[in-house]
Every structure is written in C-alpha cells, then in structure tokens.
Amino acid sequence: MCGRPAVRGRRAGPPLCLNRGASMIEKTTLPGGVRLVSERLPHVRSASFGIWVGTGSRHEPSALAGASHALEHMSFKGAGTRTAAEIAELMDGMGGQLNAFTTKECTCFYGRALDTRLHEALGLICDIFFEPRMDEDDWQTERGVILEEIGMYRDSPEDMSSERLFSSVFKGSALARPVLGRPSALNAMTAAALRGYREAEYRPHDIVVSLAGSFDEGHLRFLERRFTLPAARPRAKLKRAAYTPARVTKKKAIEQNHWCVGFPGLPMGDSKRHTLQVLSGVVGGGMSSRLFQAVREREGLCYEIGTFTASHGETGVFGVYVGLGRESERRALGMIADILRGVAQDGPGQAEVDRAREQLKAAAIMGMESSKTRMNHMWQSELLLGRILTLDEIAARCDAVTAEGCRELAAELINFDKMSFSAIGRVDAAGAYDGYF
C-alpha cells in the first residue's frame, strides 16, 4: 500500500493513483465532515490550494439573492486583525496569488504560493475563510463594487445573452437567478444577514479542501487542525430545476447581434458527459468543427462561433453562441439550424469523432501538468461528483466515445421542439425568428 500514514479522522478509501508515476492523490474525511484531498508533485516548487464550499446562488433564498457572491467579496475586506490592505500586501509580499469565485453550485477561495511560503499562505486563506470581519461599513462599500460589477456584465452582450438564456429556460427555479444577484436584493441586504447566511450554509460536509504541488506533512497537519469542525445538519433538499423551452430577445444599440441557441443538456456526473464533450467538439469546439468551417471560414458570416455545455445537479444545457451582423443573421442562423439538424439525423463522421476525442483527451492530460489544474480537478470531482477520476479513467472514458454514441446523443438532445434562444442587439421580437430555424 502506498501513501502517507492514516491521520486523525476517517480515511475514505485507499489513496488514488492519478497516473503511472510517483504522483498520488490522498483523501481524508475529517471529524465534522470536511474532506481534504491532496497530491504531491515532486517536480514543482510551488503549491496550489483551494477551499470549496458546496453553496452557490441556487442555494440562496430569494430575499438573499447574491449572498454567496457577496460573501466571497466580503471575505477579502478584512479577516481577524488584518485589514483588506494588509491581506493584499501580505500575499503580494510572498509573491503568491489569492482569489475567489462563485458559481450557481459552489463558492471557492483559492491560491498559489512557493513551497517556502506555503505555511504563511495557507494560514492567510484559512483566516480569510474562518474569520471574515463582515463589518457593516465594509458591506456598504463593497455593495457598490458588486453593483458596478453587475453593470459591467450588463454592458457585455455576450454575457447577457447567455444569462438571459439560462434565466428563461430555468424560470421558476433558483437556477434562473444570476450569480451576482439582483440590485433590489443587494440593496436590502445587511452584513448581519450575510453572516447568518454563511453560518447556515457553510456546512462542514459540503466543504472540500484541495492541495496540489510541493508540500509536506506539516502543511497537511495544519489543514487537518483548522478544518476539524463540529458536525452540522444537512441542508434541506433543493427544489429540482428542469429545462423548459423559451425564446427571448432584447433590443440594444450595438453593432453585432449576440445569439445563444440552446437545447436540453446533461446533468453533472451523467455517464454520457464525455460523449457530449466530443459531440460539442465536432459541432463547434474548434477550428475544424462544422460550425466554424461552414459559417465563418467558408461563408464569412461571423467572427466568433462555437458550442457550449452547462451542467447542474439534475439538468443542463447544450448550445451554440454566435455574434453576427443583422444583415447576415438570417442566412447564418439558417446554416446553424441545418448543421444541427444534420448532426441530429446522421451523426458525426468517424474522422470528426476521432479528432474531437483526441482534442478532449489531450486537453485533459496536458492540463494535468499544472498544479492548479490538478487541484481544481480534485475538488470538482470530489465535491460535485463524489469521487476523483484518475487520468487513466478519464482517458479510457474518452477512448470509449464512439461515432454511434454521438449520433444517438445528438438525436436525443438536438430536438427543435425543445429549442430555446436568447438574442441581444438590433433584434426583432422573438416571434419574428420562427422561420429562421
């Protein structure tokens, strides 16, 4: 058996070999339920680390829409006895990096530092996580920053077209809410309400701590001590969301029209997710994809076009984004529809599947040469899927994707009776586009 000795807490299975070399993933479930996953990389002199909480915008009550993202911001406004400026100076003085982000499913605090400064960096991120000052005056200031961030995204038609697509197809569920929240809710929010939300939602069994790179036993012992927490009751089950076809347009005086065309996708952890990634690659994942070659390269109707996938716990979206001029809109959208129908009816060719599969596999394997990517892979697999896939498993799942499997999945998902779209720009009312598709 390989790996470090057992530590305080319940060992959740044997160490997991990420590849055929010396690198090794280890997982420990600490008293209280926090999961600590780690991987030593002997060839690097730095470490990437992250604290991941399984709470995001979909877990918020409507009155606190945007609270998860607000907590992420407030954690950097001061922690313990340190001010926001002192936090920034300390991290810059180490030559390290520290940041955070929020999604619909989780909130993340992460960073990277040289191994010689790792203990200080871990201490700092733990202070930010456990001891945020959450002062009301700080919140009054930071709320203005978040409102400016919302304004920035509203000025980005690419972001708004996708945001409006998701808010429409998941209407009536928490998945429809924007991660940043809404100004009305944020203006009514207080620092005390944020503290209460944090205490209720930051549950130990929903927390994963991930560490990859150059570290020693002392760093692991430190994290084990800090994250051995009292157990908490599980949260109530979320209301399930379901994809419902929707079509929305929004007029905006800009040069290009920005379109997101969507279909039902796959939930996180679905056994066909690698097939969907390959299918997405065939349709619009790169320069050799059908959409790129036909709509951009052959006809010159757009500059940017591609496919996207979004997966949540119980549902998902598969779609196409394109930015184009009003004069080329009808022709381009008709071509996109024809390409999608062709893939749904006949499936991709073997050569297309081979190319997309190798791109997917190579991206996964080459990405794992980064400690940050390895750290992200561990937390995401553990928190969202419940287990960490090895590189051999990932490669095998990519290799198992077939042209027939892609055809069957395309026929299942690309159903124009369930098509949705969101368009922003010099656009007409949604009903005017019925003939385009």
PDB file of all heavy atoms in Angstrom, residues 329-342:
ATOM      1  N   GLU A 329     -27.681  37.787 -40.444  1.00  0.00           N
ATOM      2  CA  GLU A 329     -28.325  36.999 -39.395  1.00  0.00           C
ATOM      3  C   GLU A 329     -29.173  35.861 -39.942  1.00  0.00           C
ATOM      4  O   GLU A 329     -29.021  34.695 -39.538  1.00  0.00           O
ATOM      5  CB  GLU A 329     -29.190  37.938 -38.544  1.00  0.00           C
ATOM      6  CG  GLU A 329     -29.761  37.327 -37.296  1.00  0.00           C
ATOM      7  CD  GLU A 329     -30.472  38.393 -36.484  1.00  0.00           C
ATOM      8  OE1 GLU A 329     -31.499  38.933 -36.967  1.00  0.00           O
ATOM      9  OE2 GLU A 329     -29.994  38.695 -35.383  1.00  0.00           O
ATOM     10  N   ARG A 330     -30.067  36.170 -40.865  1.00  0.00           N
ATOM     11  CA  ARG A 330     -30.994  35.145 -41.360  1.00  0.00           C
ATOM     12  C   ARG A 330     -30.221  33.990 -42.004  1.00  0.00           C
ATOM     13  O   ARG A 330     -30.503  32.821 -41.736  1.00  0.00           O
ATOM     14  CB  ARG A 330     -31.979  35.736 -42.370  1.00  0.00           C
ATOM     15  CG  ARG A 330     -32.918  34.689 -42.977  1.00  0.00           C
ATOM     16  CD  ARG A 330     -33.890  35.320 -43.952  1.00  0.00           C
ATOM     17  NE  ARG A 330     -34.868  36.161 -43.288  1.00  0.00           N
ATOM     18  CZ  ARG A 330     -36.021  35.713 -42.785  1.00  0.00           C
ATOM     19  NH1 ARG A 330     -36.321  34.418 -42.871  1.00  0.00           N
ATOM     20  NH2 ARG A 330     -36.863  36.528 -42.207  1.00  0.00           N
ATOM     21  N   ARG A 331     -29.261  34.317 -42.828  1.00  0.00           N
ATOM     22  CA  ARG A 331     -28.516  33.268 -43.515  1.00  0.00           C
ATOM     23  C   ARG A 331     -27.696  32.433 -42.532  1.00  0.00           C
ATOM     24  O   ARG A 331     -27.661  31.211 -42.616  1.00  0.00           O
ATOM     25  CB  ARG A 331     -27.599  33.899 -44.564  1.00  0.00           C
ATOM     26  CG  ARG A 331     -26.911  32.884 -45.459  1.00  0.00           C
ATOM     27  CD  ARG A 331     -26.103  33.613 -46.506  1.00  0.00           C
ATOM     28  NE  ARG A 331     -25.260  32.695 -47.253  1.00  0.00           N
ATOM     29  CZ  ARG A 331     -24.189  33.050 -47.908  1.00  0.00           C
ATOM     30  NH1 ARG A 331     -23.814  34.336 -47.926  1.00  0.00           N
ATOM     31  NH2 ARG A 331     -23.471  32.166 -48.561  1.00  0.00           N
ATOM     32  N   ALA A 332     -27.036  33.093 -41.586  1.00  0.00           N
ATOM     33  CA  ALA A 332     -26.195  32.378 -40.626  1.00  0.00           C
ATOM     34  C   ALA A 332     -27.026  31.474 -39.715  1.00  0.00           C
ATOM     35  O   ALA A 332     -26.668  30.308 -39.475  1.00  0.00           O
ATOM     36  CB  ALA A 332     -25.398  33.370 -39.788  1.00  0.00           C
ATOM     37  N   LEU A 333     -28.137  31.970 -39.214  1.00  0.00           N
ATOM     38  CA  LEU A 333     -28.970  31.154 -38.333  1.00  0.00           C
ATOM     39  C   LEU A 333     -29.556  29.965 -39.079  1.00  0.00           C
ATOM     40  O   LEU A 333     -29.686  28.865 -38.527  1.00  0.00           O
ATOM     41  CB  LEU A 333     -30.085  32.004 -37.726  1.00  0.00           C
ATOM     42  CG  LEU A 333     -29.626  33.085 -36.737  1.00  0.00           C
ATOM     43  CD1 LEU A 333     -30.808  33.926 -36.283  1.00  0.00           C
ATOM     44  CD2 LEU A 333     -28.901  32.494 -35.539  1.00  0.00           C
ATOM     45  N   GLY A 334     -29.907  30.170 -40.352  1.00  0.00           N
ATOM     46  CA  GLY A 334     -30.395  29.053 -41.155  1.00  0.00           C
ATOM     47  C   GLY A 334     -29.330  27.986 -41.335  1.00  0.00           C
ATOM     48  O   GLY A 334     -29.614  26.785 -41.264  1.00  0.00           O
ATOM     49  N   MET A 335     -28.079  28.412 -41.553  1.00  0.00           N
ATOM     50  CA  MET A 335     -26.984  27.454 -41.703  1.00  0.00           C
ATOM     51  C   MET A 335     -26.743  26.692 -40.396  1.00  0.00           C
ATOM     52  O   MET A 335     -26.530  25.477 -40.401  1.00  0.00           O
ATOM     53  CB  MET A 335     -25.704  28.173 -42.120  1.00  0.00           C
ATOM     54  CG  MET A 335     -25.686  28.650 -43.550  1.00  0.00           C
ATOM     55  SD  MET A 335     -24.072  29.334 -43.995  1.00  0.00           S
ATOM     56  CE  MET A 335     -23.069  27.843 -43.889  1.00  0.00           C
ATOM     57  N   ILE A 336     -26.788  27.414 -39.281  1.00  0.00           N
ATOM     58  CA  ILE A 336     -26.593  26.771 -37.979  1.00  0.00           C
ATOM     59  C   ILE A 336     -27.660  25.703 -37.758  1.00  0.00           C
ATOM     60  O   ILE A 336     -27.372  24.579 -37.331  1.00  0.00           O
ATOM     61  CB  ILE A 336     -26.619  27.818 -36.853  1.00  0.00           C
ATOM     62  CG1 ILE A 336     -25.376  28.718 -36.940  1.00  0.00           C
ATOM     63  CG2 ILE A 336     -26.702  27.151 -35.481  1.00  0.00           C
ATOM     64  CD1 ILE A 336     -25.435  29.935 -36.035  1.00  0.00           C
ATOM     65  N   ALA A 337     -28.916  26.059 -38.078  1.00  0.00           N
ATOM     66  CA  ALA A 337     -30.006  25.096 -37.907  1.00  0.00           C
ATOM     67  C   ALA A 337     -29.809  23.879 -38.803  1.00  0.00           C
ATOM     68  O   ALA A 337     -30.021  22.736 -38.368  1.00  0.00           O
ATOM     69  CB  ALA A 337     -31.343  25.769 -38.206  1.00  0.00           C
ATOM     70  N   ASP A 338     -29.384  24.096 -40.033  1.00  0.00           N
ATOM     71  CA  ASP A 338     -29.173  22.971 -40.963  1.00  0.00           C
ATOM     72  C   ASP A 338     -28.052  22.053 -40.465  1.00  0.00           C
ATOM     73  O   ASP A 338     -28.160  20.818 -40.554  1.00  0.00           O
ATOM     74  CB  ASP A 338     -28.829  23.497 -42.353  1.00  0.00           C
ATOM     75  CG  ASP A 338     -30.022  24.117 -43.065  1.00  0.00           C
ATOM     76  OD1 ASP A 338     -31.165  23.863 -42.630  1.00  0.00           O
ATOM     77  OD2 ASP A 338     -29.802  24.861 -44.047  1.00  0.00           O
ATOM     78  N   ILE A 339     -26.984  22.637 -39.957  1.00  0.00           N
ATOM     79  CA  ILE A 339     -25.869  21.828 -39.444  1.00  0.00           C
ATOM     80  C   ILE A 339     -26.315  21.014 -38.240  1.00  0.00           C
ATOM     81  O   ILE A 339     -26.012  19.815 -38.116  1.00  0.00           O
ATOM     82  CB  ILE A 339     -24.675  22.736 -39.111  1.00  0.00           C
ATOM     83  CG1 ILE A 339     -24.051  23.269 -40.404  1.00  0.00           C
ATOM     84  CG2 ILE A 339     -23.625  21.983 -38.291  1.00  0.00           C
ATOM     85  CD1 ILE A 339     -23.044  24.380 -40.189  1.00  0.00           C
ATOM     86  N   LEU A 340     -27.041  21.636 -37.337  1.00  0.00           N
ATOM     87  CA  LEU A 340     -27.517  20.918 -36.152  1.00  0.00           C
ATOM     88  C   LEU A 340     -28.468  19.791 -36.532  1.00  0.00           C
ATOM     89  O   LEU A 340     -28.389  18.683 -35.982  1.00  0.00           O
ATOM     90  CB  LEU A 340     -28.192  21.893 -35.188  1.00  0.00           C
ATOM     91  CG  LEU A 340     -27.268  22.911 -34.498  1.00  0.00           C
ATOM     92  CD1 LEU A 340     -28.085  23.943 -33.741  1.00  0.00           C
ATOM     93  CD2 LEU A 340     -26.300  22.211 -33.545  1.00  0.00           C
ATOM     94  N   ARG A 341     -29.359  20.045 -37.469  1.00  0.00           N
ATOM     95  CA  ARG A 341     -30.282  19.003 -37.907  1.00  0.00           C
ATOM     96  C   ARG A 341     -29.531  17.855 -38.573  1.00  0.00           C
ATOM     97  O   ARG A 341     -29.869  16.680 -38.384  1.00  0.00           O
ATOM     98  CB  ARG A 341     -31.317  19.580 -38.872  1.00  0.00           C
ATOM     99  CG  ARG A 341     -32.401  20.398 -38.200  1.00  0.00           C
ATOM    100  CD  ARG A 341     -33.582  20.646 -39.132  1.00  0.00           C
ATOM    101  NE  ARG A 341     -34.655  21.327 -38.431  1.00  0.00           N
ATOM    102  CZ  ARG A 341     -34.808  22.656 -38.412  1.00  0.00           C
ATOM    103  NH1 ARG A 341     -33.947  23.434 -39.077  1.00  0.00           N
ATOM    104  NH2 ARG A 341     -35.808  23.205 -37.746  1.00  0.00           N
ATOM    105  N   GLY A 342     -28.512  18.189 -39.339  1.00  0.00           N
ATOM    106  CA  GLY A 342     -27.726  17.144 -39.978  1.00  0.00           C
ATOM    107  C   GLY A 342     -27.013  16.258 -38.976  1.00  0.00           C
ATOM    108  O   GLY A 342     -26.983  15.026 -39.125  1.00  0.00           O
TER     109      GLY A 342
END
